[in-house]
Amino acid sequence: MEKFLALSIKKQDTIRNAALACFARHGYEKTSINDIAVAAGISKASIFQYFGNKQTLYQYLFDYCAAQMKQAYNTSALEETTDFFDRVWEASVMKVEILKKHPHIASFIASVAVEPTPELKSAIFSEANEKYIASLVLHERDYKKFRHPEDAELVFQMLMMLAKGMSVQLESGVDYDSMMKEFRNILDMLKHNFYKEEYLP
């Protein structure tokens, strides 16, 4: 990995984007190191020299994507937003903006969501990752707004499952803007059905 990180930023981007695109297109099992090497315009030996094996490369790509997604969230802005559903919306917009800028990341994340290999899926959709997102959008003060406070965590889990489904849709070419419009309508519906009357607009 050190040899890879010693490369120029441009060279790293070329290899990383080639690997992200190959895994997104063919899946983990069907993608070969040779496929990635050809796409990146380098030798197969170089890939092995940089990463050792395919699994290490795949894990590196996930860690890279996860780091990029975390950087997408403006935590101070989310902290200032007073409503749970507005916070979920703002976090989703931040995520979509970074995915628009980095289509290879969007495709890779979507491909991982449908991977048949359990250990790969658990690595991506880990409990730690979910807890991180929960800390950003679900605050203690939100519970009192729900008709039944215990529903707050269930609604959050529901939205996490919906987000995974949205990731898969992105891979099939769904339009970002229409998808987000639909998501906004879903959030408004959930808010109307779960919040106490005094917290509804």
Side-chain angles (χ1 to χ4, degrees):
M1 191 72 70
E2 288 180 11
K3 290 182 178 179
F4 173 73
L5 297 176
L7 297 172
S8 68
I9 298 298
K10 185 178 179 181
K11 190 72 172 177
Q12 287 183 42
D13 284 342
T14 298
I15 296 170
R16 193 163 42 231
N17 287 336
L20 287 169
C22 286
F23 281 124
R25 191 176 302 116
H26 305 298
Y28 179 78
E29 292 297 334
K30 292 182 179 179
T31 296
S32 69
I33 291 294
N34 189 59
D35 293 333
I36 296 167
V38 170
I42 60 175
S43 68
K44 189 164 70 170
S46 294
I47 301 283
F48 283 115
Q49 188 179 31
Y50 299 145
F51 298 100
N53 56 54
K54 185 168 77 168
Q55 187 172 346
T56 301
L57 170 56
Y58 194 86
Q59 184 63 51
Y60 162 75
L61 292 174
F62 166 65
D63 292 340
Y64 171 80
C65 290
Q68 292 298 308
M69 296 312 301
K70 280 189 177 183
Q71 289 175 21
Y73 297 117
N74 183 335
T75 53
S76 59
L78 292 174
E79 185 65 36
E80 290 172 9
T81 303
T82 58
D83 185 74
F84 166 67
F85 287 100
D86 290 340
R87 223 175 287 123
V88 170
W89 170 251
E90 288 184 13
S92 300
V93 170
M94 291 172 189
K95 180 178 179 179
V96 164
E97 286 304 312
I98 198 75
L99 292 177
K100 280 182 177 178
K101 292 176 185 175
H102 301 283
H104 291 302
I105 291 178
S107 299
F108 178 77
I109 292 173
S111 72
V112 174
V114 295
E115 272 291 346
T117 315
E119 57 267 27
L120 295 178
K121 291 183 78 168
S122 63
I124 293 285
F125 301 117
S126 63
E127 188 177 341
N129 187 43
E130 197 164 298
K131 283 182 178 178
Y132 173 74
I133 297 173
S135 71
L136 292 180
V137 300
L138 182 58
H139 299 168
E140 193 173 334
R141 61 181 180 270
D142 297 321
Y143 289 76
K144 67 178 183 180
K145 296 182 180 181
F146 285 76
R147 293 173 190 172
H148 304 286
E150 64 274 14
D151 286 344
E153 291 185 25
L154 291 173
V155 170
F156 171 74
Q157 293 296 335
M158 187 190 312
L159 291 170
M160 286 296 294
M161 292 175 70
L162 181 60
K164 292 175 189 178
M166 287 166 66
S167 294
V168 175
Q169 287 186 59
L170 291 176
E171 173 67 0
S172 59
V174 170
D175 178 66
Y176 282 98
D177 295 332
S178 61
M179 183 184 70
M180 290 302 286
K181 183 178 179 181
E182 185 178 343
F183 185 57
R184 177 77 258 187
N185 289 337
I186 290 171
L187 289 177
D188 291 341
M189 178 198 69
L190 290 172
K191 183 174 183 175
H192 181 78
N193 281 279
F194 283 93
Y195 264 19
K196 295 174 183 173
E197 288 292 332
E198 61 263 36
Y199 293 108
L200 293 174

